[in-house]
Amino acid sequence: MPGSSHYALHPHPFSQWGAGFQQPLLIAGPCSAETEEQVMATAKGIAAGGHATVFRAGLWKPRTRPGAFEGAGAQALPWLQRVKAETGLLTMTEVATTEHVEACLKAGVDMLWIGARTTPNPFSVQELADALRGVDIPVFVKNPINPDLHLWIGALERLEGAGLKRLAAIHRGFSWFERTPYRNSPMWEFPIRLKAAFPDLEIIGDPSHIAGSRDKLGTIAQQALDLGLSGLMVEVHSDPAHACSDAEQQISPEAYAELIQSLIFRQALPSAPMADRLEELRDLIDQLDEEIVQKLGSRMDIAERIGEYKREHNVAIMQPERWERIMRRQLALASHLGLGEQFLKEFMDAIHRESIRRQTSEQDESSGVASAGVPQYPAIGLDR
Ligand code: PEP
Ligand code: MN
């Protein structure tokens, strides 16, 4: 991504947000506000643990299909006021329309977030920005559901354009066509690239919506912290199993306290830690990629020499038993190194196809038949 100088985004770090904002910022609360009792029980449980400064609850829930629970709506605003008065936690909810913004500002909600289904719609984001013009309220922008860094940045720029200064990002993972172990693919390169471009932008992790299940929450939360994210937003419910939305990923206030205690919060380095670390890691990757390509070059040269030899001795190019032996050996090594079997098969398959292409094009040239470009081998079958 190009440098950040041509973006209209100059975020303020938490240190300039005022009292109470510091790393790590811990936000906890239910996916949805369901009833006053559920909201109060959850908030009191969270406050008792002492591991959060902000209480989240979705009042207006964007649901994938009609008929699902859509949140308690504006009637829950007084419940958030009660949470603040009785627990001292700051309150936060999702806004998607100007009506939501107006109702929240009127009710004194402390902070807002823009959801992953709203961020990718420039019209909606602009409407929200206009409704917030001149209001000094912290706004957190979740990444768009699709992996597009510019949409994420664009939404933040629109809010900054409306005069908002206390802006931050929330990484909640991306919808992706490939099956992953998680509800949303973390694609960590996105928050890393965002942080590298805007070192002062605070990004917090939302492990609940990435993991999608309680058992993977800790792993994702720790990864977010290890990458240097500035805090966490975790879905916590007084009775997770009976939650009206996202029941599989919510945890009880007690489990939340245990989770936070089990995490390692690393000390941030004094200067742009993610950017520095990123540089180092990128150098390593560049070096390894170069080695991989060089090795592929050498491998193909040898394949070509084998092709010549086979041609001279009238031996068939494809020798299935040998390829099976190679694959068996590589798969054993890959499993030892923790590389996915499918990935390795596809990788080796591509190498094999290129190898055969080099050997057959040699033959075509020598027999005076024009090579017809890359021969199409079936992915599985003949050449094994
Ligand atoms: C939520 O935070 O409950 C929510 C709806 O999240 P997202 O917009 O990330 O899907
Ligand atoms: Mn949710």
Side-chain angles (χ1 to χ4, degrees):
M1 197 168 77
S4 58
S5 52
H6 63 282
Y7 291 102
L9 187 60
H10 312 88
H12 287 190
F14 284 155
S15 55
Q16 293 172 28
W17 281 33
F21 290 101
Q22 60 198 33
Q23 287 190 26
L25 182 70
L26 295 178
I27 303 171
C31 178
S32 310
E34 299 167 9
T35 64
E36 185 164 4
E37 294 66 40
Q38 168 250 4
V39 164
M40 291 315 299
T42 308
K44 285 183 175 165
I46 292 168
H51 296 292
T53 49
V54 184
F55 179 79
R56 65 148 280 158
L59 269 51
W60 300 277
K61 301 302 298 177
R63 304 311 302 274
T64 303
R65 297 192 51 224
F69 178 68
E70 293 185 331
Q75 63 167 325
L77 287 164
W79 310 344
L80 294 187
Q81 291 169 337
R82 248 193 94 191
V83 166
K84 186 170 178 164
E86 295 180 28
T87 68
L89 294 167
L90 295 174
T91 57
M92 182 183 200
T93 196
E94 171 174 350
V95 287
T97 68
T98 52
E99 293 75 37
H100 299 163
V101 169
E102 280 153 19
C104 287
L105 294 179
K106 207 160 137 214
V109 176
D110 296 295
M111 297 156 60
L112 305 173
W113 85 79
I114 294 180
R117 289 158 194 77
T118 305
T119 305
N121 185 334
F123 291 130
S124 300
V125 175
Q126 193 56 53
E127 273 182 27
L128 295 175
D130 292 340
L132 286 162
R133 194 169 292 279
V135 181
D136 180 26
I137 185 169
V139 180
F140 287 68
V141 179
K142 288 201 171 199
N143 64 259
I145 46 175
N146 56 319
D148 184 329
L149 196 55
H150 288 101
L151 272 174
W152 201 359
I153 297 170
L156 287 157
E157 286 182 306
R158 285 179 195 279
L159 292 161
E160 178 167 310
L164 286 123
K165 293 279 173 234
R166 295 189 286 173
L167 294 173
I170 300 178
H171 170 233
R172 49 79 75 200
F174 301 87
S175 284
W176 194 233
F177 69 98
E178 280 169 334
R179 216 154 46 86
T180 78
Y182 308 113
R183 176 179 176 188
N184 288 296
S185 173
M187 298 188 181
W188 295 109
E189 61 273 27
F190 279 80
I192 290 174
R193 285 168 69 189
L194 188 62
K195 189 72 181 175
F198 306 99
D200 282 341
L201 178 69
E202 305 283 5
I203 307 175
I204 66 165
D206 173 349
S208 302
H209 287 91
I210 293 177
S213 63
R214 286 181 266 285
D215 59 322
K216 302 193 183 76
L217 202 54
T219 308
I220 296 289
Q222 189 62 62
Q223 283 177 9
L225 295 176
D226 290 348
L227 281 172
L229 297 200
S230 310
L232 298 172
M233 174 191 260
V234 179
E235 285 192 339
V236 176
H237 191 290
S238 53
D239 183 7
H242 298 103
C244 296
S245 58
D246 289 351
E248 310 75 35
Q249 71 197 29
Q250 303 208 58
I251 54 174
S252 68
E254 296 73 29
Y256 171 72
E258 276 170 34
L259 169 75
I260 298 299
Q261 279 165 331
S262 75
L263 295 171
I264 301 166
F265 290 84
R266 301 183 199 284
Q267 203 62 46
L269 298 173
S271 65
M274 282 180 77
D276 288 353
R277 190 149 163 231
L278 181 72
E279 265 329 296
E280 258 174 54
L281 294 174
R282 275 185 178 157
D283 286 349
L284 280 176
I285 290 273
D286 290 352
Q287 212 176 312
L288 288 170
D289 282 347
E290 210 177 297
E291 282 173 34
I292 291 171
V293 173
Q294 270 168 4
K295 291 234 181 321
L296 283 173
S298 311
R299 194 197 185 285
M300 293 309 158
D301 285 346
I302 292 178
E304 224 162 73
R305 272 159 56 192
I306 291 180
E308 278 168 38
Y309 183 88
K310 284 177 180 166
R311 197 170 59 243
E312 280 164 25
H313 295 82
N314 227 5
V315 178
I317 296 282
M318 293 188 226
Q319 295 181 329
E321 325 76 50
R322 164 142 173 84
W323 182 243
E324 263 159 37
R325 267 200 318 278
I326 293 179
M327 280 301 267
R328 261 201 308 279
R329 212 173 49 222
Q330 296 305 327
L331 281 171
L333 178 61
S335 115
H336 184 67
L337 295 173
L339 292 170
E341 185 176 323
Q342 186 59 27
F343 161 70
L344 192 91
K345 277 187 177 154
E346 284 168 16
F347 183 71
M348 290 301 292
D349 215 37
I351 290 177
H352 194 217
R353 275 201 304 274
E354 175 65 3
S355 199
I356 289 177
R357 187 189 71 82
R358 293 273 286 255
Q359 295 186 11
T360 50
S361 57
E362 280 275 310
Q363 270 198 337
D364 289 349
E365 276 157 32
S366 69
S367 62
V369 179
S371 169
V374 184
Q376 294 300 304
Y377 296 100
I380 297 169
L382 276 187
D383 54 345
R384 300 281 166 96

